[in-house]
Amino acid sequence: MLTRAPLDVASLIAARRPGYTLAAPFYRSKEIFDLDLDVIFARHWIFVGVEPDVPEPGDVMKIDIGLNSILIVRDDDNEVRAFHNVCRHRGARIVTEEHSTVGKLVCPYHQWTYELTGDLVHATHMGDDFDAKCHGLKPVHLRSVSGLLYVCLAAEPPADFDSFAAEMEPRLAPFDLRNAKVVKELDLIEEGNWKLTMENNRECYHCAGNHPELGLSFNKYAVGFVPDADDLEGQAEAAAYAADVERQVQAWEANGFISRPFEELTGRPTGFRTERIVLGGEGESQTMDTKIACKKLMGAITERKLGGLHLWTQPNMWAHFMSDHAVTFTALPLDAEHTLVKTRWLVHKDAVEGVDYDVDHLASVWIATNDQDASLVKLAQCGTRSQAYEPGPYSPLTEGLVDAFATWYVERLSAHMGK
């Protein structure tokens, strides 16, 4: 019987060539997938949703990160908490629905019952010596950044999250996400490794040839696209876009909307990038007509043309915040070659469907774009299965942010393996 030698991950990491895609095992190997779940998804801050996912006391959201199932619950004092979705009796899952509303958290197996604070309050037939105080639900680290929810499964989460929150909270404050509502949620399983999903998101080299709907409002020059030196028309477009951006940014910042880019994608556990992007067409929103899709604007915003504030966080999140709505994306690995992408659309909590907004109009651009991206990720995954695959060069003009993602990933594995 033939046995396969263990994968030499350290050598694969050491052999990674900066500016090039990763070696095929990083996209296909079960061994590296398990390492990713441990090193990346169990030791970093992972974006899981938004406070409006649990708008009222008793609302519960279940989310699975690898083999770990987590409950996000709003308690009776309006505090949002996170717990492992594991009964302290015999380990059964307590909540199986993705969204539910409960008075207390009750394990369906033997009806052990927990308060929304995680305290065990009911467990029959356990004898006189049983101490319920020692059997509350195990908490998970949870942080809310202006309503964006991040969890960390590590005993000691990365401390650099504080500086990320300090940078983002003033930028996100005008949108008042805590007082928004989720009007559409869509799950899409991409047939590719989670890193291919993220790499695809970190560049717009592919946008012109694949995203006609997004291209109506999204300018390729907004995310690092640089025309070739002999592309005089492209050079002129890029210069005009840069001048327009400078004018818009000055105007936005004069009105209190922080807009200039801030980027620390590598060299730290909680890598992130943010920038307010000038939108094309009417310049109002990422919609088919580039105008707002919700008449009631987010928070206390009164200006329609606020561009699109974008946010990326390593390892699994991207989002766009416009004057009328926000869109957030969560990438969660399912196995070495499949990734769940959860998309949420949010509007002001007082906006009325059919009066202020139409969901189909609101969501149509990113529904189409998600489907197109899923097809591209599948193509890339198929390519990594071929014996002809070898790491290829990223474009130095348009894919620097993809390289930053791959570099961050390798940094995090290296830091772990160097311990």
Side-chain angles (χ1 to χ4, degrees):
M1 178 178 175
L2 293 175
T3 57
R4 181 175 295 178
L7 202 61
D8 186 351
V9 180
S11 294
L12 285 171
I13 292 172
R16 194 256 168 170
R17 188 176 176 185
Y20 281 69
T21 62
L22 301 169
F26 286 107
Y27 303 116
R28 298 187 54 211
S29 160
K30 173 68 165 56
E31 189 173 339
I32 290 183
F33 175 76
D34 291 342
L35 187 66
D36 287 353
L37 291 182
D38 176 21
V39 176
I40 303 297
F41 284 88
R43 299 170 192 260
H44 292 80
W45 288 101
I46 305 301
F47 178 69
V48 293
V50 292
E51 286 197 34
D53 281 316
V54 287
E56 301 292 337
D59 287 343
V60 184
M61 176 176 69
K62 178 184 76 71
I63 193 156
D64 297 332
I65 303 175
L67 298 178
N68 291 292
S69 184
I70 295 167
L71 298 177
I72 308 291
V73 58
R74 186 178 292 272
D75 71 17
D76 292 328
D77 293 325
N78 262 321
E79 182 175 348
V80 180
R81 300 170 180 267
F83 301 102
H84 286 278
N85 185 18
V86 178
C87 183
R88 293 297 307 280
H89 179 210
R90 287 169 57 184
R93 291 283 171 88
I94 299 170
V95 171
T96 56
E97 300 294 326
E98 186 170 355
H99 292 281
S100 56
T101 300
V102 302
K104 299 183 187 305
L105 294 162
V106 182
C107 178
Y109 202 169
H110 301 92
Q111 289 72 55
W112 278 35
T113 302
Y114 304 85
E115 292 285 4
L116 303 182
T117 57
D119 295 332
L120 177 65
V121 294
H122 180 73
T124 59
H125 308 297
M126 294 306 296
D128 294 337
D129 295 335
F130 178 74
D131 187 354
K133 293 185 179 65
C134 297
H135 294 83
L137 294 178
K138 290 188 175 180
V140 173
H141 295 288
L142 174 71
R143 292 286 300 269
S144 174
V145 180
S146 298
L148 302 176
L149 297 177
Y150 292 80
V151 299
C152 183
L153 293 163
E156 295 184 12
D160 66 346
F161 194 86
D162 288 340
S163 61
F164 159 64
E167 181 65 35
M168 286 310 302
E169 284 175 346
R171 294 173 183 256
L172 292 168
F175 301 97
D176 194 12
L177 292 173
R178 292 189 172 97
N179 284 307
K181 63 179 178 182
V182 178
V183 296
K184 187 174 181 63
E185 183 173 340
L186 187 67
D187 287 358
L188 176 66
I189 295 177
E190 294 190 351
E191 297 180 49
N193 182 274
W194 69 274
K195 295 184 286 291
L196 290 177
T197 294
M198 299 308 300
E199 289 178 20
N200 178 71
N201 170 257
R202 289 341 193 201
E203 52 91 0
C204 215
Y205 189 6
H206 69 276
C207 291
N210 294 281
H211 296 321
E213 297 85 0
L214 183 63
L216 297 170
S217 62
F218 203 75
N219 194 304
K220 61 185 177 183
Y221 300 115
V223 287
F225 186 91
V226 179
D228 291 321
D230 60 353
D231 180 3
L232 299 182
E233 184 178 350
Q235 294 281 353
E237 285 181 355
Y241 178 77
D244 188 30
V245 167
E246 184 57 31
R247 284 193 298 272
Q248 288 279 3
V249 166
Q250 287 185 16
W252 285 328
E253 297 217 330
N255 289 321
F257 297 101
I258 306 171
S259 301
R260 294 193 182 279
F262 186 94
E263 178 179 314
E264 289 188 353
L265 285 169
T266 61
R268 53 180 287 164
T270 311
F272 71 103
R273 183 183 198 280
T274 185
E275 179 180 9
R276 190 181 305 277
I277 293 173
V278 174
L279 299 179
E282 297 293 331
E284 294 182 1
S285 195
Q286 291 176 346
T287 57
M288 291 294 192
D289 60 7
T290 67
K291 297 180 181 178
I292 58 169
C294 181
K295 288 188 284 188
K296 188 165 187 59
L297 303 183
M298 300 286 285
I301 291 171
T302 57
E303 170 58 51
R304 292 184 174 191
K305 291 188 177 182
L306 275 185
L309 178 69
H310 94 150
L311 171 63
W312 295 346
T313 57
Q314 315 283 42
N316 77 320
M317 184 265 200
W318 64 99
H320 301 275
F321 308 91
M322 292 148 285
S323 64
D324 65 324
H325 75 281
V327 194
T328 69
F329 305 83
T330 313
L332 295 168
L334 299 177
D335 60 33
E337 300 195 53
H338 293 85
T339 302
L340 172 64
V341 176
K342 299 179 74 69
T343 307
R344 296 171 174 83
W345 287 262
L346 298 99
V347 300
H348 193 292
K349 69 176 183 180
D350 295 331
V352 178
E353 185 174 6
V355 176
D356 294 310
Y357 66 93
D358 175 85
V359 171
D360 292 338
H361 180 45
L362 190 79
S364 56
V365 166
W366 276 105
I367 288 176
T369 304
N370 281 357
D371 286 341
Q372 294 150 3
D373 281 333
S375 296
L376 298 173
V377 168
K378 180 179 180 180
L379 291 176
Q381 184 70 41
C382 289
T384 65
R385 298 177 189 137
S386 169
Q387 66 179 24
Y389 174 84
E390 62 179 89
Y394 294 127
S395 164
L397 300 180
T398 66
E399 294 180 305
L401 297 173
V402 192
D403 187 45
F405 170 77
T407 298
W408 175 87
Y409 169 74
V410 170
E411 284 178 352
R412 302 319 305 160
L413 290 191
S414 298
H416 172 74
M417 301 187 78
K419 288 180 179 177

